[in-house]
Amino acid sequence: MPDQPVRHLIHWNDFSDEEIKRILLLSKKIKQYPLDYQDHLRNQSLVMLFQKTSTRTRVSFEVAISELGGHGIFLDWNSTNFDLTEIGYEAAYLSSNCQVLMARMVKHEELLELAEHSSVPVINGCCNRYHPCQAMADMLTIFEHVGKTEGVKLTYIGVHNNVVNSLMALSAALGVHLTLVCPLSPEGVVETNAKEKLKQRGLLFETLDLVEAVKESDFIYTDTWVDMELFNDPKAKELKRERIELMMPYQLNEKLKEHTGAKIMHDMPIHPGYEISKGLVFHPDSIIFDQAENRLYTQKAILLFLLNKG
Ligand code: CP
């Protein structure tokens, strides 16, 4: 076992404001000077374990480790032996053969179990409570577009979900004014520590008045109304119908955009015609694909930070 406690990235609440700023600045530097980092993780292996589907998280982590000189191993949960045994046993083994683990787990509790038994850093690649890697890429995108995060106005419109929890934690650390327009906060989802911190710092505003929420905003952000694993699940048909009925008035669309010059954000995958109209995806103010691209640079920074190579 290592002498120092292993540092995981489960959520940003475990990181100081200074550390969060360091990771953001490192991401920017890596994007600017990628070749300076090409050997930093030479001969290091990253295991990427997915209980759920992914496009961006899988690709960006695999490219990140490869461009840092290391090697990525993709594990689809269903083709492993995790279901035959206990998570802790498999985690203890995996961490003996790699230097860092990234996991996309459905349940936060299972991610914690994985981390508890891992002797190497575990990175949360999105669970039901948090999506820390996405939120860091979002902050890099904001930083690039306005040259700062302090005082920037970000409005999130949608269901309160894992992304919002991570955005709240990073907004508190980076001085972003976050307005939440969340007509629905499913039970047990809201991260109260991050919310309290944001509130105490005078950075949180909540409203259901869309025009008020967007008119002074620099960035407006939305996300899926239904969890990704349920979107095409016939068993979730009724839940999906209820969500659409409740959320349709809160769609990001051309009519709402008339009230604001804000940049448009979405963490993808996009469901056009639901949380966002098709016309806004490639709108001149859309920075959606910058967010997705920036996943690569922030994954690199997170890997380097956790492995003390930054
Ligand atoms: N935003 C995001 O995490 O994308 P994927 O689900 O495709 O990884």
Side-chain angles (χ1 to χ4, degrees), residues 10 48-53 57 75 77 82-83 87-88 91 94 101-115 122-130 162 228-229:
I10 303 299
M48 304 177 292
L49 175 65
F50 285 87
Q51 270 187 341
K52 302 201 282 182
T53 57
T57 304
L75 287 184
W77 178 271
F82 268 92
D83 269 341
I87 287 179
L94 279 179
L101 259 164
M102 188 277 295
R104 170 166 285 189
M105 308 291 278
V106 176
K107 291 186 192 147
H108 182 63
E109 294 69 26
E110 292 198 340
L111 178 74
L112 293 180
E113 206 179 329
L114 194 79
V122 170
I123 299 170
N124 184 354
C126 184
C127 67
N128 57 327
R129 294 271 292 163
Y130 307 98
N162 47 5
M228 55 186 292
E229 67 271 27

Side-chain angles (χ1 to χ4, degrees), residues 53-58 104 131 134 228 267-269 295:
T53 57
S54 167
T55 306
R56 280 144 290 276
T57 304
R58 192 254 165 107
R104 170 166 285 189
H131 199 349
Q134 178 64 50
M228 55 186 292
D267 57 331
M268 303 178 85
R295 292 292 301 273

